[in-house]
């Protein structure tokens, strides 16, 4: 499937984006824990510590390209885990 | 730019890590390609969710060791700096992070912190956009400090840093974290520094933390029941010099 085929909406908010924004603490933490540790680390250093790719690369002793690919895979995997589970659990 | 070229760069784009040219090409593509624009929006939504929701994370042993070594390097580097005082309780952000890591778990900032961080940086950027970055324009702290009296219900300590290359240029009223705050404006060369001050709501001190947003650096700490944030596009080490200057007073 080409990227051009996957977008059903041309206006208004994308439902998956809306759903993702409602993901809550415990579910998110569970999702983060399903990630391999090196994926989780770059995601946390980026989103919660606000470090740049270069800073993460320096701390983790890997090239910036590796940071980028880990981040991309971390997000992809987390999203795939979260989307079917948001709003299903009883937690607030 | 087509979709095949865009997709691998989408993460970097939403993280503001692309250079100007790539970023403009990306924006042009996203303006005309719904599929990629939706993918970008989903990425941003995921980022917001992670930033707002995650509260606990235990790093791997390898990462903890690396952070500790980074702390050691930073301490060694910093202790040679002019003006650094031995025994000071101030630590750079990496060091603060390391200390927490050493205890075995990283407890992350609560979501409210990110909102305040965004607010503070936005206030800094906005102050640079208007004709005047100050409400009271004076390099004399004996003019600036009393100007705040009657406008704020807390006392503002005003430092003059001109002898160290950080002259005061004035002050401004702000509204941050749902309360009135003072902005003290300094200059270093061509760069403006906003020092935001407001009551912390609890007594005591808190160590220095650093964060970056959109190319701006912010250092935050608390002293004597007051929150302080120093924001600038200055490079980190120079801004940290400013922070030490303020703390030394």
């Amino acid at each position: 499937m080409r990227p051009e085929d996957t977008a059903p909406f041309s206006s208004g908010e994308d439902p998956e984006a809306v759903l993702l924004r409602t993901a809550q603490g415990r579910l998110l933490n569970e999702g983060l824990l399903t990630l391999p540790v090196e994926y989780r680390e770059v995601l946390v250093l980026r989103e919660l510590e606000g470090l740049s790719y270069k800073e993460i690369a320096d701390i983790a002793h890997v090239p910036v390209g590796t940071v980028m690919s880990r981040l991309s895979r971390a997000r992809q995997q987390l999203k795939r885990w979260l989307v079917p589970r948001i709003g299903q659990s009883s937690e607030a | 730019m087509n979709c095949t070229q865009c997709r691998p760069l989408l993460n970097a784009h939403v993280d503001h890590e692309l250079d100007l040219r790539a970023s403009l090409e990306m924006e042009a593509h996203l303006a005309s390609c719904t599929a990629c624009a939706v993918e970008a929006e989903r990425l941003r939504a995921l980022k917001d969710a992670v930033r707002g929701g995650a509260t606990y994370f235990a790093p791997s042993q390898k990462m903890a060791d690396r952070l500790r070594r980074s702390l050691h390097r930073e301490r060694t580097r910093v202790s040679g700096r002019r003006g650094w005082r031995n025994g000071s309780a101030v630590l750079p952000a990496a060091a603060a992070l390391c200390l927490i890591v050493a205890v075995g778990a990283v407890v992350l900032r609560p979501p409210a912190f990110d909102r305040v961080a965004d607010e503070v940086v936005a206030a800094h950027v906005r102050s640079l956009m208007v004709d005047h970055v100050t409400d009271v324009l004076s390099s004399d702290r004996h003019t600036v400090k009393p100007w705040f009296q009657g406008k704020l219900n807390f006392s503002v300590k005003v430092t003059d840093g001109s002898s160290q290359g950080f002259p005061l240029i004035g002050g401004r009223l702000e509204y941050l974290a749902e309360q009135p705050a003072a902005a003290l404006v300094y200059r270093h060369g061509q760069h403006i520094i906003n020092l935001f001050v407001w009551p912390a709501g609890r007594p005591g001190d808190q160590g220095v933390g650093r964060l970056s947003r959109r190319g701006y650096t912010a250092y935050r700490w608390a002293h004597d029941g007051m929150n302080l944030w120093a924001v600038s596009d200055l490079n980190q080490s120079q801004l940290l010099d400013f922070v030490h200057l303020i703390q030394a007073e």
Side-chain angles (χ1 to χ4, degrees), chain B residues 32-249:
Chain B
S32 60
C33 173
T34 316
C36 290
V38 161
E39 199 48 43
E41 187 53 33
R42 289 174 184 173
L43 268 177
R44 286 192 192 104
L46 181 69
K47 279 164 62 79
D48 287 346
V50 172
R51 273 177 37 198
T55 56
Y56 172 83
F57 158 64
S60 66
Q61 190 57 47
K62 239 176 11 163
M63 175 60 82
D65 289 345
R66 281 202 205 98
L67 287 169
R68 251 179 242 115
R69 280 198 296 274
S70 162
L71 154 68
H72 177 75
R73 278 199 305 272
E74 191 152 5
R75 268 196 179 144
T76 314
R77 179 181 63 85
V78 165
S79 63
R81 185 196 307 278
R82 170 184 61 85
W84 176 256
R85 282 152 208 232
N86 280 332
S88 165
V90 172
L91 286 173
L97 183 63
C98 279
L99 278 187
I100 300 167
V101 165
V103 176
V106 174
V107 177
L108 299 164
R109 306 178 301 222
F113 177 90
D114 270 308
R115 284 200 290 276
V116 173
D118 290 343
E119 262 186 85
V120 168
V121 174
H124 173 73
V125 176
R126 203 165 41 240
S127 78
L128 304 178
M129 288 171 71
V130 296
D131 279 345
H132 64 273
V133 66
T134 59
D135 291 333
V136 54
L137 179 70
S138 169
S139 56
D140 178 8
R141 60 195 172 111
H142 302 293
T143 302
V144 174
K145 182 183 160 86
W147 182 86
F148 284 109
Q149 272 160 12
K151 299 183 180 70
L152 293 171
N153 64 2
F154 57 91
S155 156
V156 182
K157 191 165 84 159
V158 183
T159 303
D160 175 25
S162 48
S163 58
Q164 264 112 318
F166 296 101
L168 174 72
I169 64 176
R172 192 176 72 249
L173 274 182
E174 279 286 351
Y175 190 80
L176 294 165
E178 296 171 358
Q179 58 187 296
L184 299 172
V185 190
Y186 293 82
R187 191 195 351 260
H188 186 68
Q190 297 289 61
H191 303 270
I192 296 288
I193 305 168
N194 269 291
L195 179 67
F196 299 102
V197 187
W198 69 91
R202 69 180 135 175
D205 297 359
Q206 202 176 354
V208 175
R210 174 180 59 84
L211 58 102
S212 309
R213 287 275 192 284
R214 305 173 184 280
Y216 295 95
T217 305
Y219 282 100
R220 60 159 303 251
W221 69 103
H223 177 65
D224 216 10
M226 302 294 286
N227 278 330
L228 297 104
W229 287 71
V231 189
S232 183
D233 61 348
L234 258 188
N235 70 56
Q236 281 171 21
S237 73
Q238 286 179 319
L239 188 57
L240 192 57
D241 284 343
F242 172 77
V243 170
H244 292 151
L245 163 70
I246 298 297
Q247 289 179 318
E249 288 282 315

Side-chain angles (χ1 to χ4, degrees), chain A residues 3-11 13-18 20-26 28-29 32-33 37 40-55 58-62 68 71-76 78-79 82, chain B residues 3-4 7-9 11-17 33-36 38-39 41-64 66-67 69-70 73 94 97 106 108-109 114 210-213 236:
Chain A
E4 296 89 321
D5 297 339
T6 59
F9 296 89
S10 57
S11 66
E13 280 238 53
D14 169 55
E16 184 175 300
V18 172
L20 279 167
R21 277 187 220 277
T22 67
Q24 302 281 3
R26 214 175 69 208
L28 259 165
N29 288 327
L32 282 173
L33 288 171
V37 67
R40 182 168 67 238
E41 282 168 349
V42 297
L43 191 53
V44 167
L45 288 176
R46 173 71 213 175
E47 301 305 350
L48 296 157
E49 291 302 320
L51 298 182
S52 69
Y53 286 7
K54 174 89 180 37
E55 286 166 332
D58 285 345
I59 286 180
H61 292 313
V62 297
M68 286 176 69
L71 206 45
S72 164
R73 292 201 194 109
R75 285 172 175 156
Q76 208 172 22
L78 182 60
K79 196 163 58 121
L82 276 177
Chain B
C3 296
T4 319
R7 285 303 168 100
L9 295 177
N11 277 272
H13 180 64
V14 303
D15 287 335
H16 308 286
E17 292 272 351
C33 173
T34 316
C36 290
V38 161
E39 199 48 43
E41 187 53 33
R42 289 174 184 173
L43 268 177
R44 286 192 192 104
L46 181 69
K47 279 164 62 79
D48 287 346
V50 172
R51 273 177 37 198
T55 56
Y56 172 83
F57 158 64
S60 66
Q61 190 57 47
K62 239 176 11 163
M63 175 60 82
R66 281 202 205 98
L67 287 169
R69 280 198 296 274
S70 162
R73 278 199 305 272
L97 183 63
V106 174
L108 299 164
R109 306 178 301 222
D114 270 308
R210 174 180 59 84
L211 58 102
S212 309
R213 287 275 192 284
Q236 281 171 21

